[in-house]
Amino acid sequence: MSAAGFIVWVTGPGRGACERIGEEVAARLGARHVAVELLGGRTPGIHRLPAESADSGLVLAAAALARHGVVSVVAATGPGEAARAEVPHVMEVWVHGDGPTPPGYRAPERPEVEVVVPESAPGGGAERTLRTLEVLGFIARDEQAYSPEEEREVIRRLKAFGYL
């Protein structure tokens, strides 16, 4: 990974689930000594913006941090298309469940990672997110080896969306 930062955009219809997954991803990146900042609806300044402007504010803050080599993990209800327009390295995580979807919610078109909540294994979505960041070359691989099946699954998903 170069000195440039990147954005992990965690989106879904349920803000609480997005924030929980975002917190897990940020904590795991921090444990790897990656400069990381968690942004969301409670971020100072963002919480004062009208709901329709909050995602734009998050994009601006995350893009500024990325230009300075900081990884931003953003928990938002809107898709990360605007972030992709601002920063060359964005990875989108879609967090959803089998509950009702709020009116007007728009799911991301091509998320690199999909997390269904409740998760069958706690922390599984955060772990898949880090593995995908490794495969994309955003972060260095952890010392722990992947099983061939796990690596094939990550690569299959990325190829299906045209990222590899």
Side-chain angles (χ1 to χ4, degrees):
M1 181 71 212
S2 68
F6 57 88
I7 298 172
V8 178
W9 193 272
V10 184
T11 184
R15 185 172 297 277
C18 293
E19 288 175 350
R20 183 181 54 76
I21 299 292
E23 288 168 358
E24 289 178 21
V25 169
R28 289 174 188 225
L29 286 169
R32 291 185 180 199
H33 307 287
V34 172
V36 62
E37 188 68 37
L38 179 64
L39 303 174
R42 293 180 279 189
T43 300
I46 300 297
H47 71 286
R48 294 179 185 228
L49 294 173
E52 62 275 3
S53 301
D55 284 353
S56 296
L58 290 168
V59 168
L60 292 174
L65 288 166
R67 285 191 297 274
H68 293 283
V70 177
V71 174
S72 293
V73 177
V74 180
T77 54
E81 293 158 354
R84 290 186 193 274
E86 293 293 323
V87 177
H89 301 294
V90 176
M91 192 182 86
E92 204 164 13
V93 179
W94 182 33
V95 181
H96 64 97
D98 55 4
T101 301
Y105 174 76
R106 189 166 54 91
E109 291 181 22
R110 296 176 23 180
E112 287 83 352
V113 177
E114 184 175 343
V115 179
V116 178
V117 291
E119 294 179 273
S120 57
E127 186 61 31
R128 278 195 317 283
T129 299
L130 264 64
R131 288 183 180 172
T132 303
L133 288 168
E134 291 172 353
V135 169
L136 290 171
F138 287 16
I139 59 174
R141 286 188 181 257
D142 197 4
E143 302 84 41
Q144 298 176 358
Y146 304 117
S147 73
E149 295 81 24
E150 291 170 324
E151 183 138 356
R152 278 195 298 275
E153 176 57 25
V154 169
I155 291 171
R156 182 202 61 77
R157 184 165 175 81
L158 293 173
K159 282 181 178 178
F161 285 126
Y163 292 113
L164 294 179

